[in-house]
Amino acid sequence: MRKLLLALLASTSLMTLTPAIAADAKPAEIRTPLNELGKDDPYRWMEEIEGTRALDWAKAQNARTLPVLQGDKRYAALHDDALTIVNAKDRIPGVTFLDDNNLRNYWQDADHVRGVWRRTTLESYRTAQPVWETILDMDALAKAEGKNWVYKGSDCLAPEARYCLLSLSNGGKDAVVVREYDTQTKTFVAGGFELPEGKHRFDWIDKDTLIVATDWTPGEVTTSGYPYVVKLVKRGQPLSAAKEIYRGAKDDGGYGVSPAVLRDHDGVVQAVFVLRPLDTFNAETHLVVGDKTVKLPFPLKSSIQALIQGQLVFSVEQDWAAQNLKTGDLAAFDLTALKADAEKAKATLILRPTAREAVQSVNATRDRLVVAVTENVKGAAYAYEVKNGAWTRKKLDLPANATVTLGSASDKDDRFFVSVTGYLTPTTYWLADAATGKLDQVKAAPAKFDASTHVVEQFEATSSDGVKVPYFVVRPKGQKSDGSAPTLLYAYGGFQVSMTPSYSGVMGKLWLERGGTYVVANIRGGGEFGPSWHEAALKENRQKAYDDFFAVSQDLITRKITSPRRLGIMGGSNGGLLMGVALTQRPELYNAIVVQVPLFDMIRYSQIGAGSSWMGEYGDPQIPSERAVIAKYDPYSNLKAGKKYPEVFIETSTKDDRVHPAHARKAAARLEELGYPVLYYENVDGGHAASANLAETARRQALEFIYLTRKLMD
């Protein structure tokens, strides 16, 4: 279908069914009124994202922090190295594969700060210096329109992909303006489709029809700020005339109702779906029939992945007894049979991963299914063929002990792009043939640092409940086991996101090449071993993710790879929450903590920004029993005076409309109130990635590594 239906909502769905009430069922808990949550918090005013008082406070913090870090005599060299790497023109330009004469790429460098959308031919792409034709220059557009535009992607109408819906963000926010663009004339379509700024979900039905979820009237969004009403929009008609075909509810969780159009490889529409998330991971799957919808009997935790030869491929993140499927399975329905009678349709198993395997991504060429998996957190890829309902597979002979990432696939044949990378191995880009297994390396990124001085090892730590937690160590060869190595430990541990080996030129140049050790922990909450690894740390079991992290930290110390004096940690978003928990629960283990765009106030998180969309991960603070669990690890309320906290470095972005900057602001303000030193930096642009352009990315990275240098290497 040329875009995976659950790329946006991977693993969504929880139905509001009314179960029979058992005789011994507990009465429902009385929900705490919203205004009671954090009512005594003196920093509630920081939740006004661009309030004058809040911005003045942030600017004052920047004015105090930046001279400290940028004033270090080593900062300039680190910044220059980072800027050179992120702006390098010898990076591999990943492409969208439309046909041999139309490979598209979005590119940023020092000459294209905001970026340029461009295209080339496969023949030219294979050369060292491809000839690119510009489709749209974002720097020129921003200048011409006087806007702070950040490119957020394009959705093009198959099969020609001439007409595209461009998503343009003001400063990097998730909310975007959508405008129709003609890639042939290289102009916005006069009278074409347009959507005002919002967190839209949309897809093409045909050239004159869109299916759109948006806030059709002011305030018509869920409590987390996402749309829940789907309508059909016709070319030339005002949005007010759009015809409604589906309506969720204002209290739906997750990231909003999402329509998705399923096409075959000739671009013909085969089915249209509406996915209704009820929390972060549970969603109903609805089939659009005319201008109505029919709910399908899919599990609430399931993800539609691809359409191949009439087979609807999907994964399940929970057992589905009616179809004899287990959590983590990849399976398929005959789409015609499913549409005819969903209750009677029978699924066919494609892949059942072992306990140490997981499906990471799925793609489809014209006649083959391609599946990327991890096997003990190391990547592999398989090409599947279906004949008479039976699936067979062949493993692709890609480099081992690395991360395998599937790229764009052809609709015309069985070719697809795939990248391979490792901690010390620059990315290579391959053109693979899923039918023959042929592999052709078309690009190889040059090394950005001297990797010859380091080795990669994989160890396991034993968590508090006996579970073995793997982690990777990238360290200098011949490093002494005396606890003296300056070590940076990174983890995420949430939302079924896997931390697999990857190459970072900036990390290598600014840390490894200077003698540092880098560690990545594969803690529970992630997806390294499939849905079960994630679910093991949900809600009431959240502490397990943190215990896993502490176990890895302690294992590094026990092995004398490092010591608390030389151990620093870093994490962003959900990983920023992890950093806050580490600060408040085990500060004695660390001498440096980089807290990136974090969640921090977990008592009020569901009321700040898009927070209520994550209650499937953390729980609902309005429910007393769930709030009691959250309160035990909530970093904000657990900050105490008289502790030996290290001086932390907290970063956020004013334009982050996903994880609200109030979390970071409150953390810094509370630490200062308690008398602790703290470094704080708030970027006024950049969205949740905290970097609207490559120059800002380099600045942020240099700030992080000068802080780590001062704390761990000095």
Side-chain angles (χ1 to χ4, degrees):
M1 60 194 165
R2 310 327 316 135
K3 88 174 152 176
L4 307 183
L5 291 182
L6 280 177
L8 176 67
L9 296 168
S11 235
T12 46
S13 299
L14 200 181
M15 250 161 59
T16 50
L17 297 178
T18 305
I21 299 176
D24 59 350
K26 295 180 180 179
E29 296 182 70
I30 298 175
R31 295 171 66 85
T32 302
L34 294 179
N35 59 6
E36 291 293 310
L37 295 176
K39 65 178 180 180
D40 297 325
D41 180 8
Y43 300 112
R44 288 272 290 271
W45 53 272
M46 289 183 165
E47 294 175 16
E48 187 178 350
I49 195 164
E50 294 194 73
T52 300
R53 185 182 178 189
L55 286 179
D56 287 346
W57 177 89
K59 291 173 183 176
Q61 292 289 321
N62 288 352
R64 184 181 58 79
T65 293
L66 291 178
V68 173
L69 298 179
Q70 294 178 328
D72 189 294
K73 63 182 180 181
R74 296 162 295 188
Y75 172 82
L78 294 184
H79 176 266
D80 289 348
D81 283 342
L83 189 62
T84 297
I85 290 170
V86 300
N87 276 329
K89 294 186 178 182
D90 57 6
R91 290 173 285 133
I92 293 179
V95 292
T96 301
F97 193 2
L98 299 178
D99 57 51
D100 286 10
N101 294 310
N102 196 348
L103 278 66
R104 297 181 183 177
N105 161 261
Y106 193 75
W107 182 260
Q108 291 175 287
D109 59 27
D111 298 324
H112 306 95
V113 176
R114 295 179 185 274
V116 59
W117 191 27
R118 58 190 190 172
R119 62 186 161 215
T120 190
T121 65
L122 178 59
E123 180 181 4
S124 180
Y125 183 69
R126 289 177 180 272
T127 67
Q129 298 292 329
V131 177
W132 295 97
E133 176 191 354
T134 296
I135 301 173
L136 175 65
D137 186 325
M138 285 297 297
D139 295 273
L141 178 67
K143 182 178 180 180
E145 298 187 350
K147 298 287 188 179
N148 186 18
W149 288 134
V150 174
Y151 177 81
K152 286 284 189 173
S154 62
D155 290 83
C156 301
L157 176 62
E160 296 87 359
R162 171 179 174 175
Y163 297 101
C164 301
L165 300 172
L166 298 188
S167 293
L168 307 174
S169 165
N170 176 17
K173 296 185 292 186
D174 282 356
V176 296
V177 171
V178 177
R179 294 160 66 181
E180 185 180 1
Y181 193 77
D182 185 338
T183 61
Q184 182 171 307
T185 63
K186 302 178 185 178
T187 58
F188 287 102
V189 177
F193 290 114
E194 289 192 20
L195 298 174
E197 187 177 73
K199 295 182 178 181
H200 315 294
R201 308 286 184 259
F202 53 85
D203 208 340
W204 294 91
I205 298 290
D206 55 45
K207 186 176 182 295
D208 296 314
T209 313
L210 302 182
I211 182 169
V212 179
T214 191
D215 48 336
W216 302 98
T217 59
E220 196 174 44
V221 292
T222 65
T223 53
S224 55
Y226 293 96
Y228 62 89
V229 179
V230 180
K231 297 185 180 184
L232 295 178
V233 178
K234 292 290 186 180
R235 182 176 298 278
Q237 73 175 183
L239 293 180
S240 59
K243 185 173 184 179
E244 182 175 321
I245 61 169
Y246 184 80
R247 177 175 292 265
K250 191 171 183 64
D251 59 355
D252 285 349
Y255 296 105
V257 168
S258 179
V261 178
L262 188 67
R263 300 176 187 275
D264 62 24
H265 290 275
D266 293 316
V268 179
V269 175
Q270 298 298 323
V272 180
F273 296 94
V274 171
L275 307 175
R276 179 201 180 191
L278 303 175
D279 69 8
T280 319
F281 305 105
N282 299 275
E284 298 171 354
T285 302
H286 296 256
L287 178 68
V288 177
V289 181
D291 57 2
K292 308 279 185 191
T293 60
V294 177
K295 189 170 73 173
L296 298 178
F298 277 76
L300 296 176
K301 291 183 178 179
S302 60
S303 306
I304 297 174
Q305 298 285 359
L307 178 66
I308 177 74
Q309 293 192 346
Q311 298 291 306
L312 180 67
V313 179
F314 65 96
S315 57
V316 290
E317 288 78 50
Q318 67 182 80
D319 290 353
W320 190 359
Q323 294 290 345
N324 296 315
L325 297 176
K326 301 292 185 183
T327 299
D329 283 353
L330 188 69
F333 278 118
D334 180 90
L335 181 59
T336 301
L338 182 71
K339 291 164 64 176
D341 192 335
E343 295 290 345
K344 293 182 179 179
K346 294 298 181 184
T348 301
L349 180 68
I350 300 173
L351 170 64
R352 176 163 292 163
T354 68
R356 303 301 276 185
E357 293 180 331
V359 174
Q360 295 296 328
S361 60
V362 179
N363 206 346
T365 64
R366 188 171 188 87
D367 296 312
R368 295 292 191 278
L369 185 73
V370 186
V371 182
V373 301
T374 49
E375 299 164 343
N376 200 29
V377 205
K378 298 171 184 176
Y382 295 86
Y384 285 81
E385 182 180 13
V386 59
K387 287 185 178 179
N388 301 319
W391 295 83
T392 58
R393 75 176 187 176
K394 292 182 179 179
K395 188 174 185 178
L396 298 176
D397 189 21
L398 291 164
N401 299 319
T403 293
V404 173
T405 303
L406 303 181
S408 181
S410 171
D411 282 320
K412 310 228 181 316
D413 53 38
D414 290 310
R415 293 176 297 167
F416 68 99
F417 284 104
V418 58
S419 66
V420 180
T421 185
Y423 290 117
L424 299 179
T425 307
T427 300
T428 54
Y429 210 51
W430 303 73
L431 183 60
D433 190 311
T436 65
K438 180 183 177 182
L439 294 168
D440 183 8
Q441 183 177 308
V442 293
K443 296 286 180 184
K448 297 301 179 183
F449 63 93
D450 182 5
S452 66
T453 59
H454 280 65
V455 295
V456 179
E457 298 170 309
Q458 188 178 31
F459 298 105
E460 285 186 338
T462 303
S463 195
S464 58
D465 58 359
V467 170
K468 300 295 184 180
V469 181
Y471 65 94
F472 290 98
V473 175
V474 188
R475 64 168 181 83
K477 295 177 180 177
Q479 181 186 76
K480 295 180 180 179
S481 297
D482 60 1
S484 64
T487 300
L488 174 60
L489 168 60
Y490 186 89
Y492 186 76
F495 296 89
Q496 206 172 318
V497 174
S498 300
M499 295 288 103
T500 56
S502 63
Y503 187 86
S504 169
V506 172
M507 168 65 69
K509 190 70 177 178
L510 274 60
W511 189 249
L512 296 178
E513 198 176 82
R514 297 169 62 234
T517 291
Y518 180 55
V519 180
V520 175
N522 302 116
I523 64 178
R524 280 174 286 186
E528 287 85 347
F529 300 128
S532 297
W533 194 247
H534 167 236
E535 291 169 3
L538 285 181
K539 293 187 176 182
E540 67 273 12
N541 294 316
R542 198 76 200 165
Q543 185 63 40
K544 290 183 179 180
Y546 309 136
D547 289 345
D548 289 358
F549 187 73
F550 302 146
V552 172
S553 303
Q554 187 60 61
D555 202 60
L556 290 168
I557 295 167
T558 300
R559 292 179 188 272
K560 295 187 177 181
I561 291 174
T562 190
S563 62
R565 166 66 183 85
R566 300 293 179 184
L567 179 56
I569 56 178
M570 177 190 288
S573 192
N574 173 75
L577 168 60
L578 171 63
M579 297 301 101
V581 175
L583 173 67
T584 53
Q585 291 190 7
R586 298 298 302 275
E588 76 281 1
L589 292 176
Y590 315 107
N591 196 44
I593 303 179
V594 180
V595 189
Q596 304 165 312
V597 290
L599 283 120
F600 212 90
D601 180 359
M602 295 303 291
I603 300 301
R604 280 191 51 76
Y605 89 91
S606 61
Q607 312 308 315
I608 304 174
S612 64
S613 63
W614 311 316
M615 288 194 290
E617 182 85 8
Y618 306 114
D620 186 350
Q622 281 190 269
I623 299 174
S625 62
E626 296 187 13
R627 184 171 69 253
V629 173
I630 294 170
K632 290 180 180 179
Y633 67 78
D634 169 49
Y636 189 50
S637 61
N638 282 298
L639 289 171
K640 307 294 182 186
K643 302 292 183 180
K644 292 185 178 180
Y645 296 151
E647 181 183 41
V648 300
F649 180 30
I650 302 173
E651 306 169 284
T652 191
S653 168
T654 307
K655 295 295 187 183
D656 190 347
D657 55 350
R658 194 179 314 169
V659 177
H660 197 295
H663 286 280
R665 295 168 178 173
K666 289 182 177 186
R670 179 64 174 152
L671 282 166
E672 285 193 324
E673 176 193 332
L674 294 171
Y676 297 104
V678 60
L679 296 170
Y680 179 91
Y681 173 58
E682 183 169 325
N683 176 23
V684 296
D685 285 325
H688 191 47
S691 48
N693 55 64
L694 296 179
E696 179 55 40
T697 297
R699 182 191 208 193
R700 174 180 57 78
Q701 292 171 331
L703 291 172
E704 291 168 349
F705 282 104
I706 198 64
Y707 163 79
L708 292 167
T709 297
R710 291 161 64 94
K711 292 297 181 183
L712 305 180
M713 288 184 169
D714 288 354

